mmCIF file of all heavy atoms in Angstrom:
data_model
loop_
_atom_site.group_PDB
_atom_site.id
_atom_site.type_symbol
_atom_site.label_atom_id
_atom_site.label_comp_id
_atom_site.label_asym_id
_atom_site.label_seq_id
_atom_site.Cartn_x
_atom_site.Cartn_y
_atom_site.Cartn_z
ATOM 1 N N VAL Z 208 119.176 89.746 112.027
ATOM 2 C CA VAL Z 208 119.068 88.332 112.443
ATOM 3 C C VAL Z 208 120.467 87.798 112.715
ATOM 4 O O VAL Z 208 120.751 87.119 113.671
ATOM 5 C CB VAL Z 208 118.342 87.530 111.378
ATOM 6 C CG1 VAL Z 208 118.482 86.016 111.618
ATOM 7 C CG2 VAL Z 208 116.879 87.925 111.284
ATOM 8 N N LYS Z 253 118.003 82.654 76.657
ATOM 9 C CA LYS Z 253 117.355 81.883 75.573
ATOM 10 C C LYS Z 253 116.117 82.624 75.041
ATOM 11 O O LYS Z 253 115.634 82.353 73.937
ATOM 12 C CB LYS Z 253 116.889 80.531 76.083
ATOM 13 C CG LYS Z 253 117.967 79.702 76.742
ATOM 14 C CD LYS Z 253 117.406 78.664 77.668
ATOM 15 C CE LYS Z 253 118.449 78.162 78.670
ATOM 16 N NZ LYS Z 253 118.747 79.074 79.799
ATOM 17 N N TYR Z 283 123.093 90.891 78.137
ATOM 18 C CA TYR Z 283 124.575 90.784 78.175
ATOM 19 C C TYR Z 283 125.002 89.339 77.822
ATOM 20 O O TYR Z 283 125.981 89.147 77.072
ATOM 21 C CB TYR Z 283 125.133 91.106 79.553
ATOM 22 C CG TYR Z 283 125.076 92.608 79.866
ATOM 23 C CD1 TYR Z 283 124.518 93.047 81.055
ATOM 24 C CD2 TYR Z 283 125.616 93.534 79.021
ATOM 25 C CE1 TYR Z 283 124.467 94.415 81.339
ATOM 26 C CE2 TYR Z 283 125.573 94.894 79.281
ATOM 27 C CZ TYR Z 283 125.030 95.336 80.470
ATOM 28 O OH TYR Z 283 124.984 96.659 80.726
ATOM 29 N N VAL Z 294 118.016 96.773 71.078
ATOM 30 C CA VAL Z 294 117.296 97.157 72.276
ATOM 31 C C VAL Z 294 116.707 98.531 72.108
ATOM 32 O O VAL Z 294 117.332 99.409 71.613
ATOM 33 C CB VAL Z 294 118.298 97.222 73.490
ATOM 34 C CG1 VAL Z 294 117.532 97.539 74.812
ATOM 35 C CG2 VAL Z 294 119.093 95.883 73.670
ATOM 36 N N ALA Z 310 121.070 103.821 78.696
ATOM 37 C CA ALA Z 310 121.769 104.232 77.398
ATOM 38 C C ALA Z 310 123.251 104.203 77.615
ATOM 39 O O ALA Z 310 124.005 103.642 76.811
ATOM 40 C CB ALA Z 310 121.277 105.572 77.015
ATOM 41 N N ILE Z 323 114.066 105.829 73.028
ATOM 42 C CA ILE Z 323 112.747 106.398 72.628
ATOM 43 C C ILE Z 323 112.123 107.122 73.844
ATOM 44 O O ILE Z 323 112.499 106.812 74.973
ATOM 45 C CB ILE Z 323 111.768 105.313 72.131
ATOM 46 C CG1 ILE Z 323 111.515 104.264 73.162
ATOM 47 C CG2 ILE Z 323 112.308 104.662 70.821
ATOM 48 C CD1 ILE Z 323 110.306 103.357 72.914
ATOM 49 N N LEU Z 331 105.840 101.645 68.336
ATOM 50 C CA LEU Z 331 106.913 100.692 67.996
ATOM 51 C C LEU Z 331 106.363 99.280 67.946
ATOM 52 O O LEU Z 331 106.654 98.499 67.077
ATOM 53 C CB LEU Z 331 108.013 100.774 69.023
ATOM 54 C CG LEU Z 331 109.335 101.263 68.526
ATOM 55 C CD1 LEU Z 331 109.313 102.758 68.245
ATOM 56 C CD2 LEU Z 331 110.426 101.007 69.583
ATOM 57 N N ILE Z 341 111.295 93.519 78.485
ATOM 58 C CA ILE Z 341 111.894 92.938 79.675
ATOM 59 C C ILE Z 341 112.212 94.070 80.653
ATOM 60 O O ILE Z 341 112.826 95.066 80.259
ATOM 61 C CB ILE Z 341 113.123 92.041 79.339
ATOM 62 C CG1 ILE Z 341 113.764 91.509 80.597
ATOM 63 C CG2 ILE Z 341 114.153 92.724 78.462
ATOM 64 C CD1 ILE Z 341 114.643 90.297 80.283
ATOM 65 N N THR Z 353 103.668 92.735 90.280
ATOM 66 C CA THR Z 353 105.024 93.252 90.347
ATOM 67 C C THR Z 353 105.076 94.774 90.300
ATOM 68 O O THR Z 353 104.628 95.402 89.388
ATOM 69 C CB THR Z 353 105.865 92.714 89.109
ATOM 70 O OG1 THR Z 353 105.950 91.289 89.265
ATOM 71 C CG2 THR Z 353 107.231 93.318 89.050
ATOM 72 N N SER Z 388 98.984 90.297 97.345
ATOM 73 C CA SER Z 388 98.899 90.840 95.991
ATOM 74 C C SER Z 388 99.549 92.242 95.879
ATOM 75 O O SER Z 388 99.949 92.815 96.917
ATOM 76 C CB SER Z 388 97.448 90.930 95.603
ATOM 77 O OG SER Z 388 96.894 92.155 96.093
ATOM 78 N N ASN Z 419 103.168 112.336 91.500
ATOM 79 C CA ASN Z 419 104.459 111.742 91.105
ATOM 80 C C ASN Z 419 104.726 110.410 91.819
ATOM 81 O O ASN Z 419 105.662 110.300 92.608
ATOM 82 C CB ASN Z 419 105.607 112.728 91.366
ATOM 83 C CG ASN Z 419 106.925 112.216 90.867
ATOM 84 O OD1 ASN Z 419 106.988 111.308 90.085
ATOM 85 N ND2 ASN Z 419 108.021 112.842 91.341
ATOM 86 N N PRO Z 443 103.240 83.375 85.996
ATOM 87 C CA PRO Z 443 103.416 83.276 87.456
ATOM 88 C C PRO Z 443 102.067 83.321 88.237
ATOM 89 O O PRO Z 443 101.176 84.064 87.820
ATOM 90 C CB PRO Z 443 104.259 84.545 87.767
ATOM 91 C CG PRO Z 443 104.085 85.443 86.655
ATOM 92 C CD PRO Z 443 103.857 84.562 85.457
#
Side-chain angles (χ1 to χ4, degrees):
V208 168
K253 305 159 199 75
Y283 287 129
V294 184
I323 60 165
L331 245 70
I341 178 161
T353 295
S388 81
N419 186 15

